[in-house]
Amino acid sequence: MAFTAGMFEAFTRTDQHRWGRAYVRGLLLDGRRKSVEQMAARLGEDGNRQALAHFVTSSPWDSAHVRARPAWRIHEEIDPTVLVVDDTGFLGSELDRLRSVT
């Protein structure tokens, strides 16, 4: 998936790359609910609920870096004046972690 090409470059393990790409695909697929269970059902072959849940909740990765990569790419492509991020989809602890970094 071209969109995620540089997003997970800091990941050291191949399973993190795999489940990171699967998670992003799950977020981008049609469907009103974006829970791990619902995404796993829509992902078909890549829909291992337990592996996705582990990636989201327990896999050690820097969420600030992963979130920043798409913003950097957007800036390179369209040079926006303002970039608004809707944080309502972030988990509470992840949002707190992101705020502590900025």
Side-chain angles (χ1 to χ4, degrees), residues 25-56:
R25 255 191 346 271
L27 290 172
L28 296 174
L29 286 173
D30 286 339
R32 295 187 67 189
R33 304 233 13 224
K34 301 299 179 178
S35 68
V36 169
E37 291 80 11
Q38 295 294 319
M39 286 191 296
R42 287 190 297 271
L43 283 168
E45 186 176 301
D46 283 333
N48 182 324
R49 188 203 61 77
Q50 185 174 2
L52 280 173
H54 175 76
F55 173 77
V56 172

Side-chain angles (χ1 to χ4, degrees), residues 84-91 95 98-99:
V84 177
V85 177
D86 175 8
D87 66 357
T88 58
F90 295 158
L91 297 174
L95 182 58
L98 180 62
R99 284 187 180 132

Side-chain angles (χ1 to χ4, degrees), residues 70-83:
W72 296 333
R73 281 193 65 195
I74 289 168
H75 187 269
E76 291 169 4
E77 296 293 325
I78 62 173
D79 194 22
T81 303
V82 176
L83 180 62

